């Protein structure tokens, strides 16, 4: 599946020392699914409706999986204002006069939101490579959900072949360390 523009490029392949892969969509299927969720002191239908309302306006790969799960839970799209995309950290907006934040630990920390209630779950999921998404309303944690992505069936075979050719394999990702480590361990990258 590699296109060579000229003969010189083909000749240089014998000198390759490293193969660098992006994780999402290259080593994984880029079709994450919601694995688990928890809600505290908040209505479940509203939880999914709030998620669907804001995630529907996100271009992030995880957003599609969250919207799909919200649809399975009969969520509605509600009126909202002040949509914000916090690059690499999450999203936010105002729904029913509530300031909603959906995102990673860094986003919660930047907004001084105490996530200790879910500390055990967060650590467990981080260690197995799941993506952990916090859900907060008016600066109070109200729930979370976890997502994961399947590794492409041919990925391990490709990594093993490259290793047999003495080519070092490297993975680059913007995902959390646990998610990256899980994939790298499974593939031996």
């Amino acid at each position: 599946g590699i296109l060579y523009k000229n003969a010189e490029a083909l000749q240089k392949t014998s000198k390759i020392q490293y193969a660098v892969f992006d994780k999402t969509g290259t080593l994984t299927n880029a079709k994450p699914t919601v694995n688990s969720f928890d809600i505290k002191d908040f209505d479940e239908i509203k939880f999914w409706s709030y998620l669907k309302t804001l995630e529907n306006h996100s271009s992030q790969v995880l957003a599609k999986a969250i919207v799909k799960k919200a649809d399975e839970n009969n969520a509605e799209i509600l009126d909202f204002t002040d949509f914000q995309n916090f690059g690499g950290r999450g999203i936010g907006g105002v729904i029913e006069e509530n300031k909603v934040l959906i995102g990673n630990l860094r986003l919660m920390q930047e907004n001084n939101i105490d996530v200790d209630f879910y500390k055990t779950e967060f650590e467990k999921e981080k260690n197995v490579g799941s993506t952990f998404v916090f859900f907060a309303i008016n600066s109070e944690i109200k729930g979370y959900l976890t997502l994961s992505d399947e590794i492409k069936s041919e990925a391990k075979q490709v990594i093993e072949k490259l290793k047999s050719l003495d080519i070092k394999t490297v993975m680059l990702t913007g995902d959390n360390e646990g998610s990256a480590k899980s994939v790298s361990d499974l593939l031996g990258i």
Side-chain angles (χ1 to χ4, degrees):
I2 297 174
L3 175 65
Y4 294 100
K5 291 179 109 179
N6 57 45
E8 182 185 358
L10 183 59
Q11 288 174 327
K12 286 182 177 181
T13 60
S14 67
K15 297 177 183 166
I16 292 176
Q17 295 177 348
Y18 292 90
V20 182
F21 296 92
D22 178 42
K23 183 177 89 55
T24 306
T26 304
L27 297 173
T28 66
N29 289 318
K31 293 182 182 171
T33 56
V34 174
N35 296 328
S36 64
F37 70 93
D38 187 67
I39 309 161
K40 74 174 190 123
D41 305 325
F42 198 70
D43 178 77
E44 186 172 342
I45 295 292
K46 273 193 173 186
F47 171 77
W48 290 111
S49 293
Y50 277 34
L51 285 166
K52 181 178 179 178
T53 298
L54 295 180
E55 293 290 355
N56 208 37
H57 295 279
S58 173
S59 59
Q60 230 270 350
V61 174
L62 298 176
K64 290 178 185 167
I66 294 170
V67 168
K68 182 179 178 197
K69 185 70 172 180
D71 284 339
E72 292 169 9
N73 285 282
N74 302 312
E76 298 177 48
I77 293 183
L78 306 169
D79 291 332
F80 71 96
T81 58
D82 300 325
F83 179 81
Q84 291 182 285
N85 186 350
F86 303 101
R89 299 180 318 274
I91 58 175
V94 176
I95 302 173
E96 298 175 337
E97 298 181 22
N98 293 307
K99 184 180 176 189
V100 181
L101 286 176
I102 302 164
N104 63 19
L105 178 61
R106 194 164 132 218
L107 181 64
M108 299 300 127
Q109 290 170 333
E110 288 172 359
N111 288 276
N112 298 313
I113 298 171
D114 181 5
V115 297
D116 282 349
F117 187 82
Y118 289 121
K119 186 177 182 177
T120 302
E121 292 87 346
F122 176 74
E123 291 300 324
K124 181 182 138 226
E125 293 295 332
K126 185 174 79 169
N127 290 332
V128 297
S130 294
T131 299
F132 201 95
V133 178
F134 291 98
F135 175 78
I137 296 177
N138 300 324
S139 299
E140 186 180 337
I141 200 72
K142 292 292 184 181
Y144 74 86
L145 43 88
T146 64
L147 300 98
S148 63
D149 193 3
E150 285 185 14
I151 292 175
K152 284 187 177 179
S153 58
E154 65 272 13
K156 188 164 182 67
Q157 184 179 347
V158 169
I159 299 302
E160 287 172 357
K161 180 65 177 173
L162 289 169
K163 283 183 170 184
S164 76
L165 297 171
D166 256 354
I167 296 173
K168 293 176 181 73
T169 56
V170 178
M171 179 179 64
L172 295 177
T173 182
D175 288 354
N176 68 56
E177 186 177 347
S179 179
K181 184 164 177 21
S182 174
V183 171
S184 67
D185 287 350
L186 285 167
L187 294 176
I189 197 167

